[in-house]
Amino acid sequence: MEGHVTPVKTYVAIWATLTVLTAVTAAVSLLELGPWNIVVALAIAFTKATLVVMFFMHLKWSNPLTKLFFVAGLLWLIILFALTLADYQSRGWLPRGKWW
Amino acid sequence: MADTTAEVLQHGQAHGPELLHHFETPEQQKESATLGMWTFLLTEIMFFGGLFIAYTVYRGMYYDAFASTSKYMNLVLGGINTAVLIGSSLTMALAVRAGQLGLRKAVIWLLIATMLLGAVFLGIKGVEYHEKWVEHLVPGFNWHYEDARYAHYAQILLFLYFVMTGMHAIHMIVGEGLLLYLVIGSVRGRFTGLWYTPIDMIGLYWHFVDIVWIFLFPLLYLIGHTH
Amino acid sequence: MSTALESPRAQARINYLNVDHGWKSWLFTTDHKRIAVLYLISITAFFFVGGFFALLMRLELMTPRSDLVQADTYNKLFTMHGIIMVFFFLIPSIPATLGNFLIPIMVGARDLAFPRINLLSWYIYIVGGLFALGAIAAGGVDTGWAFYAPFSTTYSNTYVLAAGIGIFISGFSSILTGLNFIVTIHKMRAPGMTWRRLPLFVWSHYATSLIQVLGTPVVAITLLLVVAERVAHVGVFDPAVGGDPILFQHMFWFYSHPAVYIMILPGMGVISEVVCCFSRKRVFGYDFVAMASLAIAVIGFLVWGHHMFVTGQSLYAGLVFSVLSMLVAVPSAIKVFNWTATMYKGSVSFDTPMLYAFGFIGLFTIGGLTGLYLATTAIDVHLTDTYFVVAHFHYVMVGGMVMAYLGGIHFWWPKMFGRLYSEGWSKFSAIIVFVGFNLTFFPQFILGSQGMPRRYAAYPDEFQVLNVMSTAGASVLGVGYLMPMIYLVWSLKKGKPAPANPWGAVGLEWMIPSPPPTYNFEETPVVTWEAYQYHDPEAVEVEVG
């Protein structure tokens, strides 16, 4: 029934990439990059996750509805983060008298 | 449940016993299963998402305390576990592929390999938890933090550590059970190249659990090593 | 009205109710209609449990002093009333009963996509309910239904654990129902049943299901964290270790605000069906009503901070949430306008379901508008935690949602059980409910704006008159709710057998027998007509085979 059969080569290549990225992220964490440490770590994590989703979970070859659902899930996570952090980020901002 | 009216219904084509009678075609059944599993994974994204927002908020508030815990996080074991889980995703993906091609023996061995790697992960996790216990880093049950400046805030991180990795481990254990169900089913010849949906669906679940760990690893193990 | 699908068999035909007998055929059923009936019974039971707590509260509030119960007990009363009503009545109500029963039929399918998961969701609901009832029996919970930390996590010495676990478990029931509906609506529609031919009841349940799937998991993990904190005596919401109780509120309300849309959207779906049928007219602005359902679901996720204006959230976040809350009123208003426009130049009749629909439209509008007052930060500072808030949400939940639920039960009762009920008694009850409701809750708007706080067993003497009025109204309302229990149950044995289409409505469910057979349709229908084809009902023909 499934239209697309992924070659073993592809899966192994993805696996190898994921393993290398794991080593990279562990190694980079030992370097002093200040605020960039977390940025790099998350960028690598997102890359790894994307590879798993697209290839291992074959979203790349799935129908548009499935892709839409996945994107919706990410969007909702973003809503949770954005509006909650909006509170925490703005807690220290006192209103200035100039406005009124 | 009476099936009398089921016989009256027409099915346009021949089908195996796997086609459940409320579906019109095997394609509809497969597509429904796939959409259903992705919808379930959406709920899991939001479930773990709640833990991640808690982590993010407190990391923002108490970065130094969080960084001070880094020497207690076993980077080597965590790294090995990450590699183990990624390997298990490979074997799982190959198992689904074997299912697609109707290669029964390959399916069985690949599923067993996945289970073994999962078990290794859980074993290493057990070792880490034991380490934490020995080092008095279990909030509420066995807590003593050396650095008095951060003793309070570090409890929040360690609490989150246990809830996040614990929740993840519970999902892994459930996954092991599901894999066992697949192995038994494969041995009994339930799956064919025409119908291997449960392997596919449980595969999606397993990969998702891997993705959660892909994010847990940097956030819990890779902070503050440069301090 | 086409009867092409109605089999010309005698009245003693086989239907989903009589096809099998014995408790096993019910407790192990996978028929969505039987599961709907199982839910109907359980939800009704929980409604009366929750109502019982309300009764005790209103009795206490007849006098200014805390004389019937002490404050500690009163705290438990309003907590248990809230928990039972929100989690075990309102959230499942229409989706689990009417949704379960009707959605497969309305899309032209034999069952939901996952019948066994449907049964599982009922069992999960019952287990969760047993935990909650266990918490009550053991002595109750006093944290308020919102379980605010650190009281719930650290200081309350009531059965928070049991209640929290019960709600956590029942959340999975909600998730599974939503998941089932989403897949069913996407994948199980009959040939010709395009999205734009779906009844609006289905659209509103689709929107509801999106909320259930995306929101419930967050409250699940939040409750889990509360449970973990109670067990460990330390946790992420504990101020003693630097935890922020406001974070609990963010995580809790991220679900609990959209939850109120889980409660109201199915009710709006019922109203769309009822208004069209009893105006003999197609809905005005189908696309707008359908899109408004989705808009409510989406925007509903962006407004949760309006529950936290005064608890410690930043002023700027408060302003953002305030503006977004104004926005969510727009799609609701669109629906109200469209229902009204549907009735304009329609042929309106005043059957019982329509009486409930009228009640809904008026009371939901009042409730919704008062929500806008509360969304205005400057006003909310004064009205928050007063009876104004209590009145607001009871207007939308009870004046809106419960009336829609009753209207839906009365509309589809003949279909579900094959019996007609007494028109006289049902109309009388509807009026009693309307009068009782307003008598109960309108005074609470006044009390709130005059400053009476919510969740207090004692209050200043000058508030007594309105409180007595409210309690009197509550007893009238209670009678209004009991009456359908009597005449509806009576109709099961003694009511006249119902035809397939007692109301002359348009829709797939009205083209199959009352009660329907187990597999709904003898042949898979092929749909060629639009959703509310009241202007040309003869064209509503189904091709057989």
Side-chain angles (χ1 to χ4, degrees):
Chain A
M1 297 300 156
E2 178 91 38
H4 181 269
V5 181
T6 315
V8 176
K9 272 203 314 261
T10 311
Y11 281 146
V12 174
I14 298 294
W15 166 79
T17 314
L18 289 169
T19 311
V20 166
L21 285 174
T22 306
V24 167
T25 198
V28 167
S29 76
L30 299 169
L31 301 173
E32 172 65 70
L33 297 174
W36 290 100
N37 271 109
I38 185 65
V39 173
V40 170
L42 282 176
I44 294 179
F46 271 104
T47 309
K48 289 163 77 179
T50 307
L51 289 173
V52 173
V53 168
M54 293 299 254
F55 291 94
F56 284 166
M57 297 173 83
H58 29 92
L59 195 69
K60 191 165 188 285
W61 304 285
S62 291
N63 62 48
L65 185 64
T66 312
K67 291 178 176 150
L68 179 66
F69 268 52
F70 178 69
V71 169
L74 291 183
L75 216 65
W76 252 254
L77 205 56
I78 291 173
I79 293 175
L80 173 65
F81 271 71
L83 286 172
T84 306
L85 291 174
D87 172 26
Y88 284 96
Q89 292 298 97
S90 62
R91 289 246 180 117
W93 302 353
L94 293 172
R96 310 251 156 232
K98 281 188 277 222
W99 258 97
W100 52 84
Chain B
M1 210 195 107
D3 268 336
T4 42
T5 34
E7 276 82 275
V8 175
L9 297 169
Q10 296 161 351
H11 294 295
Q13 69 233 86
H15 61 84
E18 326 79 26
L19 180 64
L20 299 168
H21 274 128
H22 56 286
F23 288 112
E24 294 284 325
T25 66
E27 286 76 27
Q28 188 189 38
Q29 181 172 317
K30 171 83 197 281
E31 284 176 25
S32 298
T34 308
L35 192 64
M37 179 49 83
W38 277 101
T39 308
F40 173 70
L41 294 179
L42 284 198
T43 69
E44 295 275 49
I45 291 177
M46 297 310 292
F47 186 74
F48 280 98
L51 289 172
F52 282 105
I53 186 63
Y55 173 92
T56 308
V57 164
Y58 288 124
R59 183 199 172 101
M61 285 208 253
Y62 306 128
Y63 181 73
D64 289 332
F66 276 34
S68 80
T69 65
S70 70
K71 59 174 168 294
Y72 301 108
M73 297 295 171
N74 196 322
L75 178 53
V76 170
L77 290 184
I80 293 175
N81 255 356
T82 311
V84 162
L85 217 50
I86 290 173
S88 77
S89 263
L90 173 64
T91 54
M92 186 74 231
L94 290 172
V96 173
R97 179 182 175 280
Q100 236 180 327
L101 298 170
L103 306 168
R104 203 176 72 111
K105 283 226 157 51
V107 168
I108 294 171
W109 284 114
L110 287 163
L111 287 174
I112 290 177
T114 311
M115 284 183 75
L116 283 174
L117 288 167
V120 167
F121 179 94
L122 288 168
I124 293 180
K125 204 90 221 86
V127 168
E128 280 186 82
Y129 279 4
H130 175 76
E131 266 182 12
K132 294 275 174 310
W133 180 267
V134 162
E135 291 170 345
H136 308 293
L137 290 171
V138 185
F141 299 99
N142 184 353
W143 178 262
H144 174 78
Y145 202 68
E146 275 166 17
D147 192 338
R149 287 175 299 167
Y150 303 131
H152 283 323
Y153 309 137
Q155 279 197 81
I156 295 185
L157 175 62
L158 265 304
F159 188 92
L160 279 172
Y161 167 85
F162 278 106
V163 176
M164 291 168 97
T165 59
M167 259 300 125
H168 178 263
I170 290 175
H171 280 77
M172 291 277 309
I173 294 170
V174 169
E176 294 281 319
L178 293 171
L179 288 170
L180 184 63
Y181 163 81
L182 286 180
V183 168
I184 294 174
S186 297
V187 165
R188 290 188 182 161
R190 268 188 75 203
F191 308 117
T192 67
L194 282 180
W195 187 74
Y196 60 97
T197 308
I199 309 178
D200 201 348
M201 297 302 108
I202 291 172
L204 287 177
Y205 172 82
W206 189 264
H207 294 306
F208 174 78
V209 177
D210 183 18
I211 290 177
V212 173
W213 183 262
I214 284 174
F215 284 98
L216 286 183
F217 176 60
L219 294 179
L220 295 175
Y221 290 84
L222 299 183
I223 23 163
H225 283 293
T226 53
H227 271 58
Chain C
M1 269 64 63
S2 165
T3 53
L5 285 176
E6 185 169 354
S7 158
R9 286 199 278 190
Q11 282 299 69
R13 69 163 69 79
I14 309 261
N15 59 59
Y16 80 98
L17 286 170
N18 61 24
V19 68
D20 256 331
H21 296 283
W23 60 272
K24 277 197 223 165
S25 74
W26 279 92
L27 291 184
F28 296 124
T29 185
T30 53
D31 180 359
H32 65 102
K33 300 182 288 300
R34 284 195 167 200
I35 294 172
V37 172
L38 290 174
Y39 266 113
L40 179 63
I41 298 169
S42 345
I43 281 167
T44 307
F46 276 110
F47 179 69
F48 283 104
V49 172
F52 170 70
F53 288 114
L55 171 70
L56 291 177
M57 286 164 65
R58 285 283 10 134
L59 283 176
E60 162 54 50
L61 289 172
M62 274 188 22
T63 60
R65 258 143 279 309
S66 163
D67 36 29
L68 186 66
V69 295
Q70 293 308 304
D72 282 341
T73 309
Y74 190 79
N75 293 349
K76 292 181 183 175
L77 293 180
F78 66 70
T79 302
M80 300 318 307
H81 170 69
I83 290 176
I84 298 286
M85 285 307 203
V86 168
F87 294 110
F88 296 96
F89 173 66
L90 284 168
I91 296 268
S93 59
I94 291 182
T97 56
L98 298 172
N100 257 332
F101 196 97
L102 294 166
I103 286 181
I105 303 176
M106 284 183 171
V107 303
R110 281 173 224 134
D111 207 314
L112 289 175
F114 307 116
R116 288 169 294 190
I117 289 184
N118 198 13
L119 181 68
L120 180 66
S121 83
W122 180 74
Y123 276 107
I124 293 176
Y125 167 77
I126 293 296
V127 171
L130 287 174
F131 269 90
L133 292 174
I136 295 176
V141 187
D142 65 355
T143 58
W145 77 274
F147 291 100
Y148 274 19
F151 185 61
S152 63
T153 51
T154 312
Y155 299 103
S156 172
N157 48 21
T158 59
Y159 294 88
V160 176
L161 219 57
I165 291 172
I167 297 169
F168 175 81
I169 293 173
S170 72
F172 286 103
S173 171
S174 186
I175 287 173
L176 292 177
T177 300
L179 189 154
N180 226 335
F181 286 177
I182 289 174
V183 178
T184 303
I185 296 169
H186 272 286
K187 295 291 175 190
M188 313 273 290
R189 282 170 287 126
M193 180 58 87
T194 61
W195 281 91
R196 293 181 73 232
R197 285 182 180 156
L198 284 170
L200 290 166
F201 181 88
V202 179
W203 274 99
S204 62
H205 277 76
Y206 182 77
T208 306
S209 301
L210 292 176
I211 306 177
Q212 285 173 295
V213 158
L214 291 165
T216 318
V218 178
V219 80
I221 192 65
T222 311
L223 287 172
L224 209 68
L225 286 170
V226 168
V227 163
E229 192 165 328
R230 271 187 87 78
V231 170
H233 299 292
V234 73
V236 301
F237 303 127
D238 187 354
V241 293
D244 186 7
I246 313 290
L247 179 64
F248 171 84
Q249 294 180 24
H250 275 297
M251 292 172 70
F252 177 80
W253 287 113
F254 178 85
Y255 162 75
S256 299
H257 186 82
V260 313
Y261 299 115
I262 295 177
M263 300 181 221
I264 200 70
L265 276 168
M268 291 173 158
V270 170
I271 301 302
S272 293
E273 300 302 312
V274 169
V275 165
C276 292
C277 174
F278 296 103
S279 310
R280 286 281 170 271
K281 202 159 158 264
R282 62 140 83 91
V283 72
F284 179 87
Y286 175 96
D287 289 336
F288 271 84
V289 180
M291 290 300 117
S293 297
L294 295 181
I296 291 173
V298 173
I299 305 176
F301 270 99
L302 306 175
V303 303
W304 78 81
H306 66 227
H307 298 272
M308 299 158 59
F309 285 149
V310 299
T311 58
Q313 180 179 251
S314 86
L315 174 64
Y316 296 94
L319 293 177
V320 167
F321 280 119
S322 175
V323 169
L324 290 168
S325 303
M326 305 285 172
L327 208 56
V328 81
V330 172
S332 299
I334 288 175
K335 289 191 172 213
V336 173
F337 293 148
N338 284 23
W339 292 322
T340 315
T342 304
M343 290 190 249
Y344 177 64
K345 289 203 177 164
S347 171
V348 178
S349 56
F350 293 86
D351 295 88
T352 308
M354 191 59 161
L355 292 181
Y356 281 111
F358 276 121
F360 177 100
I361 294 174
L363 299 176
F364 172 77
T365 303
I366 296 175
L369 288 174
T370 54
L372 288 174
Y373 297 17
L374 295 168
T376 311
T377 1
I379 299 180
D380 188 69
V381 170
H382 301 281
L383 292 177
T384 196
D385 277 340
T386 67
Y387 259 85
F388 194 92
V389 179
V390 176
H392 155 71
F393 65 71
H394 282 93
Y395 260 78
V396 279
M397 291 294 111
V398 183
M401 175 47 212
V402 177
M403 293 198 96
Y405 178 65
L406 288 172
I409 294 286
H410 284 79
F411 188 48
W412 281 291
W413 186 267
K415 176 58 55 189
M416 289 170 74
F417 299 104
R419 299 284 183 168
L420 299 172
Y421 48 81
S422 158
E423 261 303 293
W425 280 108
S426 61
K427 286 184 181 162
F428 181 56
S429 302
I431 295 172
I432 297 279
V433 165
F434 184 80
V435 169
F437 173 84
N438 281 296
L439 204 53
T440 311
F441 292 106
F442 198 83
Q444 294 184 6
F445 277 128
I446 304 174
L447 284 168
S449 62
Q450 290 182 344
M452 179 175 170
R454 66 187 286 201
R455 298 177 164 158
Y456 276 49
Y459 53 80
D461 289 339
E462 62 258 34
F463 293 142
Q464 183 170 21
V465 173
L466 289 172
N467 268 295
V468 171
M469 200 185 299
S470 179
T471 303
S475 28
V476 174
L477 188 59
V479 168
Y481 287 145
L482 279 169
M483 283 162 65
M485 287 291 296
I486 301 172
Y487 64 73
L488 285 177
V489 172
W490 187 92
S491 78
L492 290 176
K493 277 277 171 281
K494 300 287 181 71
K496 275 191 2 212
N501 196 351
W503 310 113
V506 170
L508 278 171
E509 75 268 32
W510 303 110
M511 301 168 75
I512 59 177
S514 306
T518 302
Y519 275 97
N520 301 335
F521 302 99
E522 290 212 2
E523 310 280 349
T524 306
V526 177
V527 177
T528 55
W529 59 91
E530 61 166 276
Y532 299 99
Q533 199 151 306
Y534 285 96
H535 47 286
D536 187 12
E538 301 308 313
V540 179
E541 285 276 329
V542 167
E543 290 175 21
V544 176

